[in-house]
Amino acid sequence: MSVKKIDSPEFQDAIKSGVSVVDFNATWCGPCKMLAPVLESLSEEMAGKAAFYAMDVDDNPDIAQQFGIASIPYVAVFKDGQKVDEQVGFVPQPQLKAFVERNL
Amino acid sequence: MGKRYDVAIIGTGPAGVSAAITATVRNKSVLLLGSASVSDKVSKAHMIQNYPGLPDIPGQELAQHFLDHLKKMEIPITDRKVTMIYAMGDYFSLQIDQEFVEASAVILAIGVSFGKPFPGEDENLGRGVSYCATCDAALYRGKEAVVVGYAPKEEADVRFLAEMAQKVTYIPVYKKEDAAAMAPELFPDRPNVEVKQVKPLGIEKRDGRMVLATDGGEISADGIFLLRESVSPGKLVPGLELDGNHVKVDRKMATNLPGLFAAGDITGTPYQYVKSAGEGNVAALSAVSWIDSLKK
């Protein structure tokens, strides 16, 4: 598994079943660049448990607006289409793993 | 700065200087970041009576000894501000302005000069409160922002933010003059910037808006940017475990993040120069062991 880049038309379909982790980011955001490889590595580690997606907030302002995102990176966990948790800012891999796991 | 340093040391007080010396003795490549004239807290001390070998030494003289020692060992001080430290697993990425530098180990020796957060600040961080205008500016396109700046260099960030935001209220806490008159002079090409000379007191989220309480009344906006000189260690290093206002360390000066060590006042009392120097030495030796274990 790896992190799949998606845009708003695919969003609802992507999160509708199971546990999905969505990383909202932007190309100009330093902490997002640092978080990307951490998420990539975590998606391998948690393959089969959660699906990982990445979304550019500049390309998808509608979704960013919908979740009231004021700061990025913003990582949200969805369970069967419902947002169950969020995490703002960079976090090291062990902490990010714990964050996803407690929402499984 | 493309290479990866063995160890990045942040802070040029006794802990940072001591760590840099020991790491260099142990043949590690060192990036020492901090004030080029070493920490103010050393040079401003009136008299230090318990530094072995240097009885009754004025702080300014001790600072000079530190500088001489670094010079003799050819350890340069890089006088730049680290805004974030990212634990990437087997290395660290340090954000210095808009640049990233890598190091295998990090020693945090930044002292305890950071102030207390405002009421409501921690709860709303990332949810309307931000520490980085250049990072989050694009999210404020067509919106209103309040910026609290602690140094004149933040004025550049205000200009940048005002390019995107509909309105920016700037509170320069470092200025004494009449602020209202300053806006046209400070931001001649940004008519959407209003400068206010007030004292921020607290932050609250109300009806989806951020409200900054000040001694001159409330200011409401979509977001509040706090641009400080120094941030608390937990915000500088995401994921770092704290013990109250200090960084939690063990006897090896190791933190909860593998490869990241802390030394000096930042680890807790007593706030003594000689204790800091000792901890810097321990932290450096622990960092050396960590670096060697990575190479195996």
Side-chain angles (χ1 to χ4, degrees), chain B residues 32-232:
Chain B
L32 178 61
L33 291 146
S35 165
S37 50
V38 309
S39 165
D40 275 1
K41 268 191 278 175
V42 179
S43 49
K44 281 185 182 158
H46 175 62
M47 185 79 80
I48 298 149
Q49 295 179 303
N50 63 350
Y51 209 96
L54 300 168
D56 292 343
I57 186 163
Q60 209 151 13
E61 254 176 66
L62 184 62
Q64 192 53 53
H65 278 300
F66 284 172
L67 287 170
D68 291 346
H69 199 155
L70 291 172
K71 199 174 171 199
K72 192 168 177 228
M73 297 193 65
E74 297 175 11
I75 306 167
I77 295 173
T78 303
D79 198 338
R80 292 175 72 189
K81 194 182 149 200
V82 180
T83 46
M84 280 288 243
I85 300 169
Y86 303 99
M88 303 302 292
D90 58 352
Y91 74 97
F92 294 86
S93 187
L94 287 76
Q95 190 174 358
I96 301 172
D97 301 322
Q98 292 304 306
E99 199 181 335
F100 288 95
V101 177
E102 294 180 2
S104 297
V106 169
I107 297 174
L108 212 54
I110 54 174
V112 285
S113 59
F114 47 88
K116 273 203 171 133
F118 291 118
E121 176 179 333
D122 288 347
E123 300 89 294
N124 290 302
L125 182 60
R127 293 168 179 83
V129 172
S130 170
Y131 294 144
C132 180
T134 48
C135 304
D136 293 334
L139 297 168
Y140 286 85
R141 219 166 263 143
K143 294 187 177 180
E144 294 174 10
V146 177
V147 181
V148 182
Y150 287 76
K153 67 177 171 59
E154 315 300 0
E155 288 156 17
D157 278 10
V158 172
R159 262 177 229 117
F160 178 72
L161 185 61
E163 268 179 45
M164 323 235 180
Q166 192 200 349
K167 189 187 172 201
V168 178
T169 305
Y170 184 47
I171 302 173
V173 291
Y174 50 90
K175 291 264 188 188
K176 301 277 182 280
E177 307 95 88
D178 180 30
M182 272 164 29
E185 179 199 324
L186 275 178
F187 308 104
D189 50 346
R190 298 276 188 275
N192 57 338
V193 177
E194 184 187 355
V195 180
K196 277 193 179 166
Q197 193 73 59
V198 290
K199 190 172 175 265
L201 300 171
I203 293 166
E204 206 186 317
K205 195 169 211 162
R206 213 183 291 152
D207 305 326
R209 299 264 292 175
M210 300 308 299
V211 179
L212 181 72
T214 76
D215 61 355
E218 289 184 342
I219 306 170
S220 146
D222 294 295
I224 298 170
F225 289 85
L226 303 173
L227 310 179
R228 291 201 176 87
E229 284 275 64
S230 52
V231 299
S232 74

Side-chain angles (χ1 to χ4, degrees), chain B residues 8-44:
Chain B
I9 298 165
I10 300 123
T12 48
V17 169
S18 164
I21 291 167
T22 298
T24 303
V25 168
R26 295 296 297 265
N27 243 339
K28 300 299 169 199
S29 63
V30 169
L31 174 65
L32 178 61
L33 291 146
S35 165
S37 50
V38 309
S39 165
D40 275 1
K41 268 191 278 175
V42 179
S43 49
K44 281 185 182 158

